[in-house]
Amino acid sequence: GAVTAPSGSLTFVVPTAVSHVRVFRCLESIRKHVPGAEIVLVANGYTPLPELSAMAHKVVLLETNLGFAAGSNRGLMEATKPVVCFLNDDARFVDAETPRRLLASLGEASIVAPYSNAAKPPQGDHAREAAPAEHMHPEMVTGLCMMMRTDLARALGGFDPRLNTWEDDDLCMRARRLGHRCRIVGGTWVDHER
């Protein structure tokens, strides 16, 4: 069924390897536009600044940089909410409507994602004011902002840590083989530095 729960039902997993200003912007956007969401910051091979750590509910310190896939999987282990959103550290929400629409679409598609200014087509390279209003159902969506039920992410085994790239495509393809589908949700948009 549809996930109509509020943002308090959502865990954001944000893997990062630097305490860059973009990471602060990412976490600030979650706190501003998705109040009540849990934030799991995965510090991939470094110790984040205390001010950055204070913005997260949980900080997972990894001794070495394990990469996006393994870092995301480690963060997934800490998620306590029924829905998880993997978010790149250089992505940020600019409105509350995008996460709300993503959550609302989970009953109709298993893996949902927004349009963006910087992502592979058809999901990306859209200016905010030109983001499509209609849904698209591609075979896969990019991991810059990818939302699904936490139990599905765990059942899929998360991202394949053997992959250094395309791990988001691989996860979507494995989900499709099990009958799940992806959706780029109309009327959504996330800013991404790429």
Side-chain angles (χ1 to χ4, degrees), residues 12-170:
F12 283 91
V13 173
V14 182
T16 186
V18 293
S19 286
H20 190 276
V21 66
R22 71 174 185 246
V23 188
F24 283 92
R25 285 190 202 118
C26 173
L27 299 189
E28 283 173 355
S29 79
I30 297 169
R31 292 169 65 97
K32 177 179 179 181
H33 297 298
V34 201
E38 177 180 59
I39 301 172
V40 177
L41 182 69
V42 181
N44 236 336
Y46 86 108
T47 302
L49 293 172
E51 310 91 281
L52 187 60
S53 294
M55 296 176 77
H57 297 90
K58 296 179 185 178
V59 178
V60 179
L61 298 172
L62 301 179
E63 203 169 294
T64 58
N65 187 340
L66 301 178
F68 176 82
S72 293
N73 292 348
R74 184 60 186 85
L76 175 61
M77 291 171 65
E78 299 297 325
T80 64
K81 306 298 181 178
V83 177
V84 65
C85 183
F86 299 99
L87 189 67
N88 282 11
D89 69 355
D90 62 345
R92 67 184 181 91
F93 292 104
V94 296
D95 59 37
E97 190 65 15
T98 290
R100 189 195 67 72
R101 286 182 184 219
L102 292 172
L103 266 172
S105 280
L106 272 179
E108 300 163 21
S110 300
I111 300 175
V112 297
Y115 289 101
S116 178
N117 59 309
K120 63 186 169 199
Q123 193 173 343
D125 302 333
H126 299 283
R128 182 179 181 193
E129 59 279 359
E134 64 279 348
H135 301 315
M136 290 191 71
H137 295 94
E139 290 190 0
M140 54 203 85
V141 294
T142 64
L144 76 95
C145 179
M146 176 187 279
M147 188 182 290
M148 67 193 78
R149 293 192 60 85
T150 304
D151 57 4
L152 173 61
R154 289 180 174 147
L156 291 169
F159 296 97
D160 187 338
R162 298 171 299 176
L163 301 174
N164 289 324
T165 186
W166 312 112
E167 59 277 298
D168 45 3
D169 292 349
D170 173 73

Side-chain angles (χ1 to χ4, degrees), residues 167-188:
E167 59 277 298
D168 45 3
D169 292 349
D170 173 73
L171 182 120
C172 291
M173 292 176 74
R174 287 186 282 123
R176 280 178 51 86
R177 284 196 289 271
L178 296 174
H180 298 282
R181 76 177 182 161
C182 296
R183 171 182 283 181
I184 305 168
V185 179
T188 63

